[in-house]
Amino acid sequence: MTTRILPAVGDPDAARSVSTLLSQLPDAEPAPPVADSTQLVDSLARLAAASVDELPEVVLVHERIGPVPALELVREVALRFPAVGVVLITADASPVLFAAAMDSGARGIVTLPLGYEELASRVQAAAQWSLGVRRHLGGGAERITGPGGTVVTVSGAKGGVGATVTAVHLALAAQASGRSVALVDMDLQSGDIASYLDVQFRRSVADLATIADISPRVLQDAVFVHETGLSLLLAPAEGERGEEVTDRAARQVVSALRGRHEVVVLDCGSRLDSANAAAIEMADTALLVTTPDVVAVRAAKRTVRMWERLQVRKAEETVTLVNRHHRSTEIQPPLVQKITGTRTAGVAVPAQYKELQAVVDAGRLHELDARSTVKQALWSLAGELGLVQTAGQPGKELARAGDRGSLGLRRRTGGR
């Protein structure tokens, strides 16, 4: 049987060496190497979306891959694509590294400089393990999507543009359609989700930062189940504790949540740190919220360029939402798209803060009236991003949830 192999090697010389050896393996079908961690995860996600059977049996991860460290990448691939055998290529053959690689989910290690016999042996063992897992999954394999739940990050171009309101209502729309939803406050120093939803809870994402393996029980203890049904993972009450949440911790948290929820929405605020950068990189959709004024649009452009320089997210892979939009505003969504190089959402949120003021001041954002044009726009955005249960009949699902008119795709007569 042919073994499909996908190498992830950043160094061009190392990539050529790996490709040459792989081409000599019997019954091997090596794919062209991917140059970084983002390309690897994106490639696997696209294949998994079609079918688990489309995934390669073996993924090779070189120790100098970036921007995500090799062991963290091994862990992410093992968690998100459990039917793929991961082999680490490294110059360090110490027992400590071997144990760390196994803990991360690797099926083997190949030492540098590469040798044919060792590479062939490790690839064959990983491929056999992968085939065994897929046989065990049997008919259920087609139902496993690989990436797990859908992850959406919401970031603000600058403070005060409405990122938190957007994140909350995207989560509420998905929850109302019948999906299991986690809402995470990754604005670690000044997160306000607890205030918007009138929640007091002593646990936060910082409590998960030092845990090496987040079990379902540990996750359950850190999550607050809101009256709406949302699973909330809050920012720490003491802002300085946000520094405890590293990029590694953020990856573990996101992976654990997406494994237990159909939708994960993360409010990343307007400040970029290692934790929310990791979340944005992992996200299926990265939403950037701006307002139609010169200062905010310039900030959005700076943010997009910074994400590109840090290899967090490409501009064309980012969706920009224009909030507080008015037809008479000089800066319209097409101009925002041109300036930032991103794709603007098909929905623009109208400038109607008066609709929000009462529920924001009361900490009851989830009780915003279904007739609110702001709510209708944000819930329509949830449909555009594919967060509602049945995209073909979103109105039916939301009506079943008892929130009539919330989708707001078209206004019914009589205010319904």
Side-chain angles (χ1 to χ4, degrees), residues 31-42:
V34 293
D36 57 50
S37 58
T38 302
Q39 289 184 31
L40 174 62
V41 175
D42 287 349

Side-chain angles (χ1 to χ4, degrees), residues 153 155 268 272 275-286 307 312-313:
T153 57
S155 306
C268 293
L272 187 69
N276 54 38
I280 293 167
E281 183 185 359
M282 293 179 69
D284 299 291
T285 301
W307 288 359
V312 172
R313 199 86 181 180

Side-chain angles (χ1 to χ4, degrees), residues 131-147:
L131 291 173
V133 170
R134 297 180 195 203
R135 281 196 298 268
H136 177 71
L137 292 174
E142 291 296 328
R143 294 189 295 271
I144 297 177
T145 61

Side-chain angles (χ1 to χ4, degrees), residues 97-113:
L97 181 75
F98 183 84
M102 296 304 104
D103 288 343
S104 296
R107 303 309 307 171
I109 287 180
V110 179
T111 56
L112 294 170

Side-chain angles (χ1 to χ4, degrees), residues 65-102:
I65 195 70
V68 176
L71 287 179
E72 294 301 321
L73 181 58
V74 168
R75 181 185 295 273
E76 183 175 349
V77 172
L79 285 171
R80 294 180 61 179
F81 312 98
V84 174
V86 188
V87 176
L88 177 66
I89 302 174
T90 178
D92 183 1
S94 67
V96 173
L97 181 75
F98 183 84
M102 296 304 104

Side-chain angles (χ1 to χ4, degrees), residues 27-261:
D27 300 323
E29 185 181 306
V34 293
D36 57 50
S37 58
T38 302
Q39 289 184 31
L40 174 62
V41 175
D42 287 349
S43 298
L44 293 175
R46 284 193 297 269
L47 293 170
S51 168
V52 171
D53 291 335
E54 296 297 319
L55 288 167
E57 285 75 26
V58 180
V59 166
L60 300 177
V61 175
H62 194 275
E63 64 178 356
R64 292 199 298 273
I65 195 70
V68 176
L71 287 179
E72 294 301 321
L73 181 58
V74 168
R75 181 185 295 273
E76 183 175 349
V77 172
L79 285 171
R80 294 180 61 179
F81 312 98
V84 174
V86 188
V87 176
L88 177 66
I89 302 174
T90 178
D92 183 1
S94 67
V96 173
L97 181 75
F98 183 84
M102 296 304 104
D103 288 343
S104 296
R107 303 309 307 171
I109 287 180
V110 179
T111 56
L112 294 170
L114 291 174
Y116 175 85
E117 295 296 335
E118 184 183 22
L119 181 62
S121 174
R122 297 293 181 267
V123 166
Q124 182 181 17
Q128 290 176 347
W129 176 87
S130 174
L131 291 173
V133 170
R134 297 180 195 203
R135 281 196 298 268
H136 177 71
L137 292 174
E142 291 296 328
R143 294 189 295 271
I144 297 177
T145 61
T150 300
V151 176
V152 177
T153 57
V154 182
S155 306
K158 56 185 286 294
V161 295
T164 300
V165 172
T166 300
V168 169
H169 273 284
L170 290 180
L172 288 171
Q175 179 72 30
S177 76
R179 309 190 84 177
S180 59
V181 182
L183 176 59
V184 187
D185 200 337
M186 287 293 288
D187 188 359
L188 297 172
Q189 292 188 352
S190 54
D192 282 324
I193 285 179
S195 298
Y196 277 109
L197 296 178
D198 192 24
V199 172
Q200 294 183 350
F201 192 58
R202 60 188 178 88
R203 298 287 188 183
S204 75
V205 65
D207 294 305
L208 301 175
T210 58
I211 299 175
D213 187 14
I214 301 176
S215 67
R217 178 60 183 273
V218 170
L219 189 63
Q220 181 180 353
D221 289 342
V223 166
F224 178 86
V225 180
H226 191 255
E227 62 186 80
T228 58
L230 294 177
S231 297
L232 304 180
L233 185 56
L234 304 174
E238 303 83 11
E240 64 273 15
R241 290 199 64 198
E243 296 181 0
E244 300 173 18
V245 185
T246 63
D247 56 341
R248 179 179 182 275
R251 291 180 188 281
Q252 287 198 105
V253 168
V254 173
S255 295
L257 288 169
R258 84 187 309 164
R260 295 179 60 83
H261 297 83

